[in-house]
Amino acid sequence: DIQMTQSPSTLSASVGDRVTITCRASQSLRTWLAWFQQIPGKAPKLLIYKTSTLGSGVPSRFSGSGSGTEFTLTISSLQPDDFATYYCLQYNSIWTFGQGTKVEFK
Amino acid sequence: QITLKESGPTLVKPTQTLTLTCTFSGFSLTSDEVGVGWIRQPPGKALEWLVVIYWNDDKRYSPSLRSRLTVTKDTSKNQVVLTMTNVDPVDTATYYCAHSSRAGYDALTGHRYVFDIWGQGTMVTVSS
C-alpha cells in the first residue's frame, strides 16, 4: 500500500500570506496526485488533480507542483475562505489520502 | 448538474450490517464511463477511501476492508448501494459517496480516476 504523509499537520497563517503544504508518498506516484479542501461540516472539494491541473471553478491563487514522491500545494495569497483542512490523495495505485493539514488563523 | 446524496441509518449496533445508498443525478452509470466511490471520515480524523464501482461494473475495494464491503449499482434507480458487515464502534464516521471521473491517462495502465463531486455525507454511529 502507498502511504501518504502531509506536513505540517497544522499551519498558522494570516490573510495575504503565501502558504505551502507538502505531501510525500512512500513510492513514486509519477503525477497522479490530487488536493482537496474541506471546510468544517462540509464535504471535501476537489482543488487540483494530476499534480497541477486546477479543478472546475478553483481560483488561480491555488497551485500544485511536484512529481515522483514529493508534491506541494501553494496558496499564493491566503483569503478568509481558505481557512480549512487540506488533504492530498494519491491515485497511482487505488486511492490513499494524506492525514490532512489544518490552516488556521495566526 | 451532477448531484449525489447519501442515505441510511444514523445508528447501528455492533456486529450488525450497515447498508448505505447513494442516489445520484446528472450522469449515467451505464454509459458515461465514470464511477461512484465511497469515502468515510471518523469524527475529527482523516478521509479514508473504501470502494469504487465503475460504469462497466468493475469494482475496486480497499484491501483493509475488502472482506466486509460489498458495492452494487441499480442503474434503473440511479443508485449505488454499499453494505458493510460486522460493524464496530471504530466504523463510526461520516460516509460520503462521490462521482469519479477521468483525471489522466497512462498508456500502460489506462485511465485514472479521481473523486470530483461529492455528496453531503451521512453520519453513522455504531453503538449498542
Side-chain angles (χ1 to χ4, degrees):
Chain A
D1 293 3
I2 298 177
Q3 307 303 316
M4 304 299 295
T5 304
Q6 280 183 241
S7 60
S9 297
T10 306
L11 187 159
S12 299
S14 302
V15 172
D17 283 354
R18 181 181 180 87
V19 165
T20 298
I21 298 168
T22 298
C23 194
R24 290 185 174 87
S26 59
Q27 60 186 266
S28 177
L29 308 178
R30 288 184 284 173
T31 58
W32 307 122
L33 192 283
W35 292 95
F36 292 83
Q37 176 194 62
Q38 187 177 33
I39 293 166
K42 300 293 187 182
K45 173 187 174 183
L46 177 66
L47 294 177
I48 288 170
Y49 63 94
K50 204 170 183 290
T51 297
S52 59
T53 303
L54 285 182
S56 177
V58 175
S60 59
R61 64 180 180 274
F62 292 93
S63 63
S65 64
S67 67
T69 62
E70 187 159 332
F71 300 84
T72 58
L73 171 70
T74 300
I75 309 172
S76 60
S77 177
L78 198 66
Q79 299 301 301
D81 287 347
D82 301 338
F83 291 92
T85 299
Y86 294 84
Y87 293 94
C88 59
L89 169 71
Q90 71 81 16
Y91 57 105
N92 181 64
S93 173
I94 50 178
W95 294 267
T96 312
F97 288 93
Q99 81 275 23
T101 295
K102 182 178 181 180
V103 177
E104 62 181 21
F105 288 101
K106 183 183 286 185
Chain B
Q1 180 191 4
I2 291 174
T3 64
L4 306 98
K5 187 172 184 180
E6 308 84 353
S7 59
T10 57
L11 180 63
V12 184
K13 288 181 167 49
T15 75
Q16 288 186 337
T17 294
L18 169 65
T19 299
L20 295 173
T21 300
C22 176
T23 303
F24 58 86
S25 63
F27 66 96
S28 169
L29 203 45
T30 55
S31 60
D32 286 354
E33 300 187 353
V34 296
V36 171
W38 285 94
I39 300 101
R40 71 178 179 180
Q41 185 173 37
K45 296 189 177 180
L47 300 162
E48 178 185 19
W49 167 72
L50 303 178
V51 64
V52 168
I53 184 167
Y54 292 104
W55 83 98
N56 58 2
D57 213 36
D58 190 18
K59 301 162 189 175
R60 294 287 184 269
Y61 290 94
S62 167
S64 63
L65 291 165
R66 180 181 179 82
S67 63
R68 299 173 52 210
L69 297 177
T70 302
V71 65
T72 59
K73 60 183 173 73
D74 184 335
T75 52
S76 66
K77 295 181 180 178
N78 277 358
Q79 291 181 334
V80 170
V81 177
L82 174 70
T83 59
M84 176 183 289
T85 61
N86 192 28
V87 298
D88 180 271
V90 299
D91 297 314
T92 294
T94 297
Y95 287 76
Y96 297 98
C97 63
H99 175 267
S100 181
S101 65
R102 292 176 175 177
Y105 178 80
D106 178 87
L108 288 177
T109 57
H111 291 284
R112 303 304 178 105
Y113 287 79
V114 76
F115 309 110
D116 55 349
I117 301 169
W118 295 53
Q120 65 189 24
T122 187
M123 178 67 193
V124 178
T125 300
V126 180
S127 174
S128 55

